[in-house]
């Protein structure tokens, strides 16, 4: 008969829990980057397909391919300057806005699904939809509010094409993002804690840290480390880092409101 002391038992359980957290973090990161690569291709093809349907592009497949991980070098292949010169600013705005509408619809429908009973008893289906929503929400946040006042890119082309002040899109766009963020971190995250993590605290922390890091655009956050404060884009990275930190502090596992929300989920799902 082998007798294991309580200290050793706790130590082994802690090591196992930490290992579970690391393994899930690796799975979640791989899932995120796979979906990110898929979404960037879809995003650019929505631009090009819209331009094709408007008669402003000959081949909707003729996008410029870039790096699927860093997302550098991608372009839809649409000549916005030519559209402006031809007085087709409205067409330019329609082409620019369509992928953003796609992401907004996907996030809305996906959040509804994650909050429904449909995925409550299927851990890996919930996992896939959760990170797919994270990728699409990140795409929205990367433009609004982080690049709401940019003179180029999708938001810049929408404003230029329609002759709008950046403030016109900033307020409703930012409000929509805040609604999405509240739903994600205060309603869906406790469900993920129960359905995905179960009784594993390390997995809970992995979900929270990665979700916050990715949703606020990890590329922008890294700008703080790679660029001097005077560089263009450093402010965007600072905003992303602050938002990421605030979410982690407010939604960390063990807080009273998080435990209450998890108990409600457990009561509804029978977990």
């Amino acid at each position: 008969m082998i007798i294991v002391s309580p200290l050793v038992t706790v130590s082994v359980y802690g090591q196992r829990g930490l290992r579970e957290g690391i393994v899930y973090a690796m799975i979640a990161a791989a899932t995120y980057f796979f979906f990110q690569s898929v979404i960037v291709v879809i995003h650019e093809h929505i631009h090009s397909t819209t331009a094709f349907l408007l008669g402003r592009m000959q081949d909707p497949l003729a996008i410029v391919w870039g790096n699927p991980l860093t997302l550098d070098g991608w372009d839809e292949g649409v000549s916005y300057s030519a559209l402006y010169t031809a007085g087709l600013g409205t067409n330019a705005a329609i082409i620019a806005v369509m992928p953003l509408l796609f992401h907004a619809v996907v996030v809305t429908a996906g959040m509804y699904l994650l909050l429904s009973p449909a995925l409550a008893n299927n851990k890996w289906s919930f996992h896939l939809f959760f990170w797919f929503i994270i990728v699409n929400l990140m795409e929205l946040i990367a433009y609004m509010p982080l690049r709401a006042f940019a003179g180029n890119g999708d938001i810049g082309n929408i404003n230029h094409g329609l002759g709008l002040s950046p403030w016109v899109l900033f307020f409703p766009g930012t409000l929509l993002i805040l609604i999405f963020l509240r739903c994600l971190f205060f309603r869906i995250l406790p469900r993920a804690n129960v359905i995905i993590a179960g009784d594993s605290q390390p997995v809970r922390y992995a979900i929270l840290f990665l979700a916050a890091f990715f949703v606020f655009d990890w590329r922008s956050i890294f700008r703080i480390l790679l660029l001097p404060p005077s560089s263009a884009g450093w402010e965007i990275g600072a905003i992303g880092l602050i938002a990421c930190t605030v979410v982690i502090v407010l939604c960390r596992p063990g807080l009273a409101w998080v435990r209450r929300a998890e108990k409600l989920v457990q009561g509804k799902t029978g977990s």
Side-chain angles (χ1 to χ4, degrees), residues 26-246:
M26 294 172 64
I27 293 173
T31 303
Y32 173 87
F33 284 114
F34 170 76
F35 281 146
Q36 177 186 261
S37 299
V38 172
I39 285 298
V40 70
V41 176
I42 292 174
H43 181 107
E44 301 304 342
H45 276 105
I46 291 175
H47 279 309
S48 62
T49 301
T50 304
F52 173 76
L53 293 175
L54 291 173
R56 307 306 170 195
M57 189 172 181
Q58 292 184 346
D59 183 3
L61 300 179
I63 68 169
V64 177
W65 290 69
N67 189 311
L69 292 180
T70 64
L71 305 188
D72 292 328
W74 291 90
D75 189 79
E76 61 266 40
V78 176
S79 177
Y80 287 99
S81 58
L83 293 175
Y84 298 138
T85 301
L88 299 172
T90 301
N91 281 9
I94 293 172
I95 294 167
V97 78
M98 289 307 291
L100 303 185
L101 292 178
F102 167 81
H103 297 310
V105 170
V106 168
V107 171
T108 302
M111 287 186 169
Y112 177 83
L113 183 62
L114 290 172
L115 289 170
S116 74
L119 303 177
N121 297 312
N122 194 322
K123 170 182 176 178
W124 292 110
S125 293
F126 194 98
H127 161 91
L128 291 173
F129 275 95
F130 180 82
W131 292 107
F132 188 66
I133 296 311
I134 293 291
V135 172
N136 281 274
L137 182 55
M138 179 275 291
E139 285 288 335
L140 288 174
I141 293 174
Y143 290 103
M144 185 68 66
L146 294 185
R147 296 181 180 86
F149 297 90
N152 54 11
D154 290 351
I155 298 298
N157 285 320
I158 295 169
N159 290 331
H160 187 185
L162 297 179
L164 299 176
S165 164
W167 292 100
V168 173
L169 294 180
F170 175 78
F171 286 113
T174 301
L175 177 61
L176 179 63
I177 292 299
L178 290 175
I179 292 171
F180 283 151
L181 289 174
R182 185 180 185 281
C183 185
L184 174 67
F185 288 107
F186 290 88
R187 296 190 62 194
I188 295 175
L189 181 64
R191 291 179 67 83
N193 287 345
V194 172
I195 296 170
I196 297 177
D199 60 356
S200 175
Q201 285 293 87
V203 173
R204 280 174 166 75
Y205 277 103
I207 294 171
L208 173 60
F209 274 83
L210 288 178
F213 181 60
F214 287 141
V215 82
F216 292 110
D217 193 355
W218 61 274
R219 296 164 300 156
S220 293
I221 291 175
F222 273 132
R223 288 191 178 121
I224 293 182
L225 302 176
L226 301 176
L227 299 175
S230 59
S231 299
W234 190 89
E235 298 86 353
I236 293 176
I239 294 171
L241 180 59
I242 292 170
C244 177
T245 303
V246 169

Side-chain angles (χ1 to χ4, degrees), residues 11-25:
S11 177
V12 171
Y13 178 81
Q15 291 175 2
R16 186 177 65 218
L18 181 59
R19 184 166 59 249
E20 289 176 351
I22 293 172
V23 170
Y24 182 76

Side-chain angles (χ1 to χ4, degrees), residues 238-258:
I239 294 171
L241 180 59
I242 292 170
C244 177
T245 303
V246 169
V247 164
I248 290 173
V249 170
L250 293 179
C251 302
R252 65 190 186 275
L255 290 179
W257 81 262
V258 176

